[in-house]
Amino acid sequence: MLMITDMKFALRNLIRQKHRSFMALGAVAFGITALVIASGFIQWIFLDFRETSIRSQLGHIQIVRPGYFDAGKADPYAYLLPDALSDFFARDFDDNQIQAIVPRLNFSGLISHEEATLSFIGEGVDPAEQQFFGDALQISSGGHLSTDKPNQIIIGEGLARNLGVKVGNTVVLLVNTATGGINAVEATVGGLFTTVTKSYDDNALRLPIDTARELLRTQGVHRWIVLLNNTDQ
């Protein structure tokens, strides 16, 4: 009985104080709307971050030898994959699923220009992959890698600044080969790039994977990056 009386009193109070009731109702509606919009915005941020990461350089699937991510940097040539592996995996996917399968060959060495010599981390890539992974690098000067110019490389802005080079300069790359020897090649700086990671820009360079294989005297790759047409696949 007391509960019914309290409810009647509350309802009568709401009816009599219309302005206050509408203000309270509006505040509740505004709060719910704000929470829904904020939740949707946060969800969109996560989805966009996921897709940007995938299409920048990670891909949907990375195929490597077991243990590569744990010990591959210490002994990279022990984790090489066959060059023809892309054909093997392409048969396991529907043509409507795969957008690209691209190779990556990682290595390190020394880069010299005139009297300056610095260490670098290098990556051999397929020049044609920029149409699929174009968000990974922002070219600030010069151009991307090209199959027509196998001796051109692109280097991070920080590495170029520390080395004192610009687009058009000639540099020498010195590396340890897969057979344990030493090999060197002259290359022309075709472009400078920036990424979201400054430490990467201060040490990294990229060159066509065929040139990297000649430099390292190997035909293998470290990773095959698979990019699907749709992440839901």
Side-chain angles (χ1 to χ4, degrees):
M1 187 68 180
L2 182 61
M3 183 179 296
I4 295 176
T5 302
D6 290 341
M7 291 180 62
K8 289 182 178 180
F9 179 77
L11 181 61
R12 185 171 56 188
N13 190 46
L14 288 175
I15 295 174
R16 288 180 176 178
Q17 303 292 336
K18 294 181 180 179
H19 293 292
R20 187 174 64 184
S21 299
F22 281 124
M23 288 180 62
L25 185 61
V28 172
F30 177 80
I32 294 174
T33 303
L35 286 175
V36 171
I37 294 176
S39 298
F41 181 71
I42 293 172
Q43 183 68 14
W44 174 81
I45 288 176
F46 280 121
L47 290 174
D48 183 69
F49 180 73
R50 180 191 70 181
E51 293 301 315
T52 300
S53 299
I54 289 171
R55 297 188 178 275
S56 62
Q57 57 180 335
L58 297 179
H60 290 96
I61 302 170
Q62 293 197 18
I63 303 165
V64 300
R65 286 197 181 278
Y68 170 74
F69 291 114
D70 295 327
K73 291 185 178 180
D75 189 11
Y77 299 120
Y79 295 90
L80 291 173
L81 291 168
D83 184 34
L85 199 60
S86 61
D87 297 333
F88 174 78
F89 281 98
R91 291 197 299 267
D92 291 343
F93 288 89
D94 190 292
D95 291 339
N96 295 325
Q97 290 182 303
I98 293 183
Q99 187 172 3
I101 302 179
V102 297
R104 299 283 174 81
L105 181 61
N106 300 96
F107 61 99
S108 60
L110 298 175
I111 180 172
S112 300
H113 175 67
E114 295 180 348
E115 300 300 321
T117 300
L118 296 173
S119 61
F120 72 87
I121 53 175
E123 193 168 30
V125 301
D126 183 353
E129 76 172 61
Q130 66 190 30
Q131 62 179 311
F132 306 109
F133 297 97
D135 295 335
L137 307 176
Q138 299 297 323
I139 299 297
S140 58
S141 180
H144 282 282
L145 297 175
S146 172
T147 54
D148 299 330
K149 299 175 181 178
N151 288 329
Q152 276 197 356
I153 65 173
I154 57 175
I155 66 177
E157 275 194 348
L159 180 59
R161 181 172 57 253
N162 294 334
L163 195 61
V165 299
K166 57 184 179 181
V167 174
N169 287 158
T170 299
V171 297
V172 176
L173 305 181
L174 180 68
V175 300
N176 291 320
T177 66
T179 57
I182 296 177
N183 195 21
V185 66
E186 280 193 351
T188 303
V189 178
L192 307 181
F193 66 79
T194 60
T195 66
V196 296
T197 307
K198 182 180 182 300
S199 59
Y200 181 79
D201 302 342
D202 291 343
N203 297 278
L205 63 84
R206 285 188 170 189
L207 69 164
I209 191 166
D210 289 337
T211 304
R213 286 169 176 159
E214 292 179 6
L215 178 62
L216 300 174
R217 294 174 179 167
T218 182
Q219 290 300 315
V221 301
H222 286 119
R223 292 179 292 163
W224 285 103
I225 310 297
V226 181
L227 182 66
L228 303 177
N229 288 317
N230 193 326
T231 303
D232 293 337
Q233 295 173 336

PDB file of all heavy atoms in Angstrom, residues 6 17 27 35 56 68 72 77 89 100 110 135-136 157 159 165 168 180 193 195 200-202 214 230:
ATOM      1  N   ASP A   6       3.485   5.933  -2.826  1.00  0.00           N
ATOM      2  CA  ASP A   6       4.719   6.607  -3.252  1.00  0.00           C
ATOM      3  C   ASP A   6       4.755   6.787  -4.766  1.00  0.00           C
ATOM      4  O   ASP A   6       5.201   7.826  -5.272  1.00  0.00           O
ATOM      5  CB  ASP A   6       5.935   5.793  -2.805  1.00  0.00           C
ATOM      6  CG  ASP A   6       6.117   5.844  -1.288  1.00  0.00           C
ATOM      7  OD1 ASP A   6       5.559   6.766  -0.660  1.00  0.00           O
ATOM      8  OD2 ASP A   6       6.817   4.950  -0.762  1.00  0.00           O
ATOM      9  N   GLN A  17       5.526  19.194 -12.220  1.00  0.00           N
ATOM     10  CA  GLN A  17       6.810  19.848 -12.527  1.00  0.00           C
ATOM     11  C   GLN A  17       7.257  19.427 -13.946  1.00  0.00           C
ATOM     12  O   GLN A  17       8.206  18.695 -14.140  1.00  0.00           O
ATOM     13  CB  GLN A  17       7.867  19.441 -11.496  1.00  0.00           C
ATOM     14  CG  GLN A  17       7.495  19.750 -10.062  1.00  0.00           C
ATOM     15  CD  GLN A  17       7.444  21.249  -9.792  1.00  0.00           C
ATOM     16  OE1 GLN A  17       8.089  22.041 -10.493  1.00  0.00           O
ATOM     17  NE2 GLN A  17       6.675  21.640  -8.780  1.00  0.00           N
ATOM     18  N   ALA A  27      18.232  15.067 -20.315  1.00  0.00           N
ATOM     19  CA  ALA A  27      19.598  14.753 -19.885  1.00  0.00           C
ATOM     20  C   ALA A  27      19.894  13.267 -20.027  1.00  0.00           C
ATOM     21  O   ALA A  27      20.973  12.860 -20.473  1.00  0.00           O
ATOM     22  CB  ALA A  27      19.808  15.199 -18.440  1.00  0.00           C
ATOM     23  N   LEU A  35      26.737   8.084 -25.345  1.00  0.00           N
ATOM     24  CA  LEU A  35      27.410   6.800 -25.125  1.00  0.00           C
ATOM     25  C   LEU A  35      27.364   5.935 -26.376  1.00  0.00           C
ATOM     26  O   LEU A  35      28.344   5.280 -26.735  1.00  0.00           O
ATOM     27  CB  LEU A  35      26.763   6.073 -23.948  1.00  0.00           C
ATOM     28  CG  LEU A  35      27.067   6.624 -22.549  1.00  0.00           C
ATOM     29  CD1 LEU A  35      26.255   5.891 -21.500  1.00  0.00           C
ATOM     30  CD2 LEU A  35      28.557   6.511 -22.243  1.00  0.00           C
ATOM     31  N   SER A  56      49.108  -1.758 -44.574  1.00  0.00           N
ATOM     32  CA  SER A  56      50.351  -0.998 -44.597  1.00  0.00           C
ATOM     33  C   SER A  56      51.522  -1.910 -44.929  1.00  0.00           C
ATOM     34  O   SER A  56      52.298  -1.637 -45.836  1.00  0.00           O
ATOM     35  CB  SER A  56      50.573  -0.293 -43.263  1.00  0.00           C
ATOM     36  OG  SER A  56      50.703  -1.236 -42.222  1.00  0.00           O
ATOM     37  N   TYR A  68      61.086 -18.418 -36.801  1.00  0.00           N
ATOM     38  CA  TYR A  68      61.693 -17.251 -37.454  1.00  0.00           C
ATOM     39  C   TYR A  68      61.563 -15.995 -36.597  1.00  0.00           C
ATOM     40  O   TYR A  68      62.520 -15.228 -36.451  1.00  0.00           O
ATOM     41  CB  TYR A  68      61.046 -17.019 -38.819  1.00  0.00           C
ATOM     42  CG  TYR A  68      61.447 -15.706 -39.449  1.00  0.00           C
ATOM     43  CD1 TYR A  68      62.722 -15.532 -39.987  1.00  0.00           C
ATOM     44  CD2 TYR A  68      60.570 -14.622 -39.479  1.00  0.00           C
ATOM     45  CE1 TYR A  68      63.105 -14.327 -40.551  1.00  0.00           C
ATOM     46  CE2 TYR A  68      60.946 -13.414 -40.037  1.00  0.00           C
ATOM     47  CZ  TYR A  68      62.212 -13.272 -40.571  1.00  0.00           C
ATOM     48  OH  TYR A  68      62.587 -12.071 -41.115  1.00  0.00           O
ATOM     49  N   GLY A  72      65.057 -15.561 -35.929  1.00  0.00           N
ATOM     50  CA  GLY A  72      65.379 -15.229 -37.320  1.00  0.00           C
ATOM     51  C   GLY A  72      66.356 -14.090 -37.478  1.00  0.00           C
ATOM     52  O   GLY A  72      67.184 -14.079 -38.395  1.00  0.00           O
ATOM     53  N   TYR A  77      69.633 -16.611 -42.309  1.00  0.00           N
ATOM     54  CA  TYR A  77      69.748 -17.508 -43.456  1.00  0.00           C
ATOM     55  C   TYR A  77      69.330 -18.937 -43.126  1.00  0.00           C
ATOM     56  O   TYR A  77      69.219 -19.775 -44.020  1.00  0.00           O
ATOM     57  CB  TYR A  77      71.176 -17.485 -43.984  1.00  0.00           C
ATOM     58  CG  TYR A  77      71.586 -16.105 -44.462  1.00  0.00           C
ATOM     59  CD1 TYR A  77      72.664 -15.436 -43.876  1.00  0.00           C
ATOM     60  CD2 TYR A  77      70.886 -15.466 -45.475  1.00  0.00           C
ATOM     61  CE1 TYR A  77      73.028 -14.165 -44.298  1.00  0.00           C
ATOM     62  CE2 TYR A  77      71.245 -14.198 -45.896  1.00  0.00           C
ATOM     63  CZ  TYR A  77      72.314 -13.557 -45.313  1.00  0.00           C
ATOM     64  OH  TYR A  77      72.664 -12.296 -45.728  1.00  0.00           O
ATOM     65  N   PHE A  89      50.936 -21.984 -52.266  1.00  0.00           N
ATOM     66  CA  PHE A  89      49.856 -21.482 -51.429  1.00  0.00           C
ATOM     67  C   PHE A  89      48.716 -20.908 -52.259  1.00  0.00           C
ATOM     68  O   PHE A  89      47.571 -20.915 -51.824  1.00  0.00           O
ATOM     69  CB  PHE A  89      50.386 -20.419 -50.472  1.00  0.00           C
ATOM     70  CG  PHE A  89      51.093 -20.999 -49.284  1.00  0.00           C
ATOM     71  CD1 PHE A  89      52.473 -21.099 -49.265  1.00  0.00           C
ATOM     72  CD2 PHE A  89      50.382 -21.470 -48.200  1.00  0.00           C
ATOM     73  CE1 PHE A  89      53.127 -21.642 -48.175  1.00  0.00           C
ATOM     74  CE2 PHE A  89      51.037 -22.012 -47.111  1.00  0.00           C
ATOM     75  CZ  PHE A  89      52.408 -22.102 -47.090  1.00  0.00           C
ATOM     76  N   ALA A 100      46.848 -10.500 -53.194  1.00  0.00           N
ATOM     77  CA  ALA A 100      48.280 -10.511 -53.516  1.00  0.00           C
ATOM     78  C   ALA A 100      49.016 -11.452 -52.575  1.00  0.00           C
ATOM     79  O   ALA A 100      48.616 -11.640 -51.431  1.00  0.00           O
ATOM     80  CB  ALA A 100      48.865  -9.109 -53.413  1.00  0.00           C
ATOM     81  N   LEU A 110      76.135  -2.637 -43.927  1.00  0.00           N
ATOM     82  CA  LEU A 110      76.697  -1.295 -43.825  1.00  0.00           C
ATOM     83  C   LEU A 110      76.412  -0.531 -45.111  1.00  0.00           C
ATOM     84  O   LEU A 110      76.481  -1.096 -46.211  1.00  0.00           O
ATOM     85  CB  LEU A 110      78.200  -1.353 -43.593  1.00  0.00           C
ATOM     86  CG  LEU A 110      78.675  -2.029 -42.305  1.00  0.00           C
ATOM     87  CD1 LEU A 110      80.202  -2.111 -42.280  1.00  0.00           C
ATOM     88  CD2 LEU A 110      78.169  -1.288 -41.078  1.00  0.00           C
ATOM     89  N   ASP A 135      50.262   2.127 -48.117  1.00  0.00           N
ATOM     90  CA  ASP A 135      50.162   2.950 -46.910  1.00  0.00           C
ATOM     91  C   ASP A 135      51.360   2.795 -45.985  1.00  0.00           C
ATOM     92  O   ASP A 135      51.475   3.507 -44.987  1.00  0.00           O
ATOM     93  CB  ASP A 135      48.890   2.583 -46.136  1.00  0.00           C
ATOM     94  CG  ASP A 135      47.629   2.921 -46.917  1.00  0.00           C
ATOM     95  OD1 ASP A 135      47.707   3.816 -47.776  1.00  0.00           O
ATOM     96  OD2 ASP A 135      46.584   2.296 -46.665  1.00  0.00           O
ATOM     97  N   ALA A 136      52.238   1.837 -46.272  1.00  0.00           N
ATOM     98  CA  ALA A 136      53.352   1.572 -45.358  1.00  0.00           C
ATOM     99  C   ALA A 136      54.354   2.721 -45.343  1.00  0.00           C
ATOM    100  O   ALA A 136      54.854   3.103 -44.294  1.00  0.00           O
ATOM    101  CB  ALA A 136      54.049   0.274 -45.748  1.00  0.00           C
ATOM    102  N   GLU A 157      64.227   8.787 -44.164  1.00  0.00           N
ATOM    103  CA  GLU A 157      64.714  10.166 -44.082  1.00  0.00           C
ATOM    104  C   GLU A 157      65.792  10.319 -43.020  1.00  0.00           C
ATOM    105  O   GLU A 157      66.768  11.029 -43.213  1.00  0.00           O
ATOM    106  CB  GLU A 157      63.552  11.114 -43.785  1.00  0.00           C
ATOM    107  CG  GLU A 157      62.778  11.561 -45.009  1.00  0.00           C
ATOM    108  CD  GLU A 157      61.881  12.739 -44.711  1.00  0.00           C
ATOM    109  OE1 GLU A 157      61.697  13.062 -43.518  1.00  0.00           O
ATOM    110  OE2 GLU A 157      61.364  13.351 -45.662  1.00  0.00           O
ATOM    111  N   LEU A 159      67.926   8.023 -41.893  1.00  0.00           N
ATOM    112  CA  LEU A 159      69.164   7.409 -42.360  1.00  0.00           C
ATOM    113  C   LEU A 159      69.828   8.289 -43.407  1.00  0.00           C
ATOM    114  O   LEU A 159      71.061   8.463 -43.402  1.00  0.00           O
ATOM    115  CB  LEU A 159      68.871   6.022 -42.930  1.00  0.00           C
ATOM    116  CG  LEU A 159      70.067   5.241 -43.471  1.00  0.00           C
ATOM    117  CD1 LEU A 159      71.121   5.028 -42.395  1.00  0.00           C
ATOM    118  CD2 LEU A 159      69.605   3.900 -44.050  1.00  0.00           C
ATOM    119  N   VAL A 165      73.003  12.011 -47.532  1.00  0.00           N
ATOM    120  CA  VAL A 165      72.682  11.732 -48.932  1.00  0.00           C
ATOM    121  C   VAL A 165      71.315  12.303 -49.264  1.00  0.00           C
ATOM    122  O   VAL A 165      70.495  12.579 -48.389  1.00  0.00           O
ATOM    123  CB  VAL A 165      72.693  10.219 -49.224  1.00  0.00           C
ATOM    124  CG1 VAL A 165      74.051   9.623 -48.952  1.00  0.00           C
ATOM    125  CG2 VAL A 165      71.617   9.489 -48.433  1.00  0.00           C
ATOM    126  N   GLY A 168      69.383  10.763 -55.843  1.00  0.00           N
ATOM    127  CA  GLY A 168      70.339  10.856 -56.943  1.00  0.00           C
ATOM    128  C   GLY A 168      71.758  10.497 -56.546  1.00  0.00           C
ATOM    129  O   GLY A 168      72.592  10.226 -57.417  1.00  0.00           O
ATOM    130  N   GLY A 180      78.259 -17.058 -46.221  1.00  0.00           N
ATOM    131  CA  GLY A 180      79.265 -16.673 -45.241  1.00  0.00           C
ATOM    132  C   GLY A 180      80.300 -15.702 -45.737  1.00  0.00           C
ATOM    133  O   GLY A 180      81.182 -15.281 -44.980  1.00  0.00           O
ATOM    134  N   PHE A 193      61.836   8.060 -47.687  1.00  0.00           N
ATOM    135  CA  PHE A 193      60.504   7.752 -47.160  1.00  0.00           C
ATOM    136  C   PHE A 193      60.426   8.029 -45.666  1.00  0.00           C
ATOM    137  O   PHE A 193      61.438   8.114 -44.962  1.00  0.00           O
ATOM    138  CB  PHE A 193      60.116   6.295 -47.449  1.00  0.00           C
ATOM    139  CG  PHE A 193      60.968   5.273 -46.736  1.00  0.00           C
ATOM    140  CD1 PHE A 193      60.756   4.967 -45.389  1.00  0.00           C
ATOM    141  CD2 PHE A 193      61.971   4.589 -47.421  1.00  0.00           C
ATOM    142  CE1 PHE A 193      61.535   4.016 -44.747  1.00  0.00           C
ATOM    143  CE2 PHE A 193      62.753   3.632 -46.783  1.00  0.00           C
ATOM    144  CZ  PHE A 193      62.536   3.351 -45.443  1.00  0.00           C
ATOM    145  N   THR A 195      57.826   6.869 -42.155  1.00  0.00           N
ATOM    146  CA  THR A 195      56.781   6.004 -41.621  1.00  0.00           C
ATOM    147  C   THR A 195      56.335   6.585 -40.282  1.00  0.00           C
ATOM    148  O   THR A 195      56.805   7.646 -39.865  1.00  0.00           O
ATOM    149  CB  THR A 195      57.285   4.565 -41.421  1.00  0.00           C
ATOM    150  OG1 THR A 195      58.292   4.557 -40.394  1.00  0.00           O
ATOM    151  CG2 THR A 195      57.887   4.002 -42.706  1.00  0.00           C
ATOM    152  N   TYR A 200      62.602   3.458 -37.140  1.00  0.00           N
ATOM    153  CA  TYR A 200      62.699   2.692 -38.381  1.00  0.00           C
ATOM    154  C   TYR A 200      63.260   3.562 -39.496  1.00  0.00           C
ATOM    155  O   TYR A 200      64.136   3.130 -40.253  1.00  0.00           O
ATOM    156  CB  TYR A 200      61.323   2.150 -38.763  1.00  0.00           C
ATOM    157  CG  TYR A 200      61.311   1.322 -40.031  1.00  0.00           C
ATOM    158  CD1 TYR A 200      61.746  -0.006 -40.024  1.00  0.00           C
ATOM    159  CD2 TYR A 200      60.866   1.857 -41.238  1.00  0.00           C
ATOM    160  CE1 TYR A 200      61.743  -0.770 -41.180  1.00  0.00           C
ATOM    161  CE2 TYR A 200      60.853   1.095 -42.396  1.00  0.00           C
ATOM    162  CZ  TYR A 200      61.286  -0.213 -42.364  1.00  0.00           C
ATOM    163  OH  TYR A 200      61.288  -0.969 -43.519  1.00  0.00           O
ATOM    164  N   ASP A 201      62.789   4.785 -39.599  1.00  0.00           N
ATOM    165  CA  ASP A 201      63.275   5.714 -40.631  1.00  0.00           C
ATOM    166  C   ASP A 201      64.757   6.024 -40.465  1.00  0.00           C
ATOM    167  O   ASP A 201      65.448   6.337 -41.436  1.00  0.00           O
ATOM    168  CB  ASP A 201      62.484   7.024 -40.602  1.00  0.00           C
ATOM    169  CG  ASP A 201      60.995   6.808 -40.798  1.00  0.00           C
ATOM    170  OD1 ASP A 201      60.620   5.724 -41.281  1.00  0.00           O
ATOM    171  OD2 ASP A 201      60.211   7.714 -40.462  1.00  0.00           O
ATOM    172  N   ASP A 202      65.246   5.944 -39.245  1.00  0.00           N
ATOM    173  CA  ASP A 202      66.653   6.269 -38.978  1.00  0.00           C
ATOM    174  C   ASP A 202      67.603   5.128 -39.355  1.00  0.00           C
ATOM    175  O   ASP A 202      68.831   5.330 -39.347  1.00  0.00           O
ATOM    176  CB  ASP A 202      66.852   6.591 -37.498  1.00  0.00           C
ATOM    177  CG  ASP A 202      66.188   7.911 -37.100  1.00  0.00           C
ATOM    178  OD1 ASP A 202      65.865   8.693 -38.002  1.00  0.00           O
ATOM    179  OD2 ASP A 202      65.991   8.125 -35.892  1.00  0.00           O
ATOM    180  N   GLU A 214      70.628 -10.992 -55.357  1.00  0.00           N
ATOM    181  CA  GLU A 214      71.963 -10.960 -55.945  1.00  0.00           C
ATOM    182  C   GLU A 214      72.989 -10.507 -54.921  1.00  0.00           C
ATOM    183  O   GLU A 214      74.107 -11.039 -54.849  1.00  0.00           O
ATOM    184  CB  GLU A 214      71.972 -10.021 -57.153  1.00  0.00           C
ATOM    185  CG  GLU A 214      71.149 -10.531 -58.339  1.00  0.00           C
ATOM    186  CD  GLU A 214      71.181  -9.552 -59.499  1.00  0.00           C
ATOM    187  OE1 GLU A 214      71.930  -8.562 -59.409  1.00  0.00           O
ATOM    188  OE2 GLU A 214      70.453  -9.770 -60.487  1.00  0.00           O
ATOM    189  N   ASN A 230      39.138  -9.531 -48.524  1.00  0.00           N
ATOM    190  CA  ASN A 230      38.256  -9.132 -47.435  1.00  0.00           C
ATOM    191  C   ASN A 230      38.754  -9.733 -46.139  1.00  0.00           C
ATOM    192  O   ASN A 230      39.022 -10.927 -46.068  1.00  0.00           O
ATOM    193  CB  ASN A 230      36.824  -9.617 -47.736  1.00  0.00           C
ATOM    194  CG  ASN A 230      35.794  -8.975 -46.811  1.00  0.00           C
ATOM    195  OD1 ASN A 230      36.085  -8.709 -45.656  1.00  0.00           O
ATOM    196  ND2 ASN A 230      34.604  -8.738 -47.336  1.00  0.00           N
TER     197      ASN A 230
END
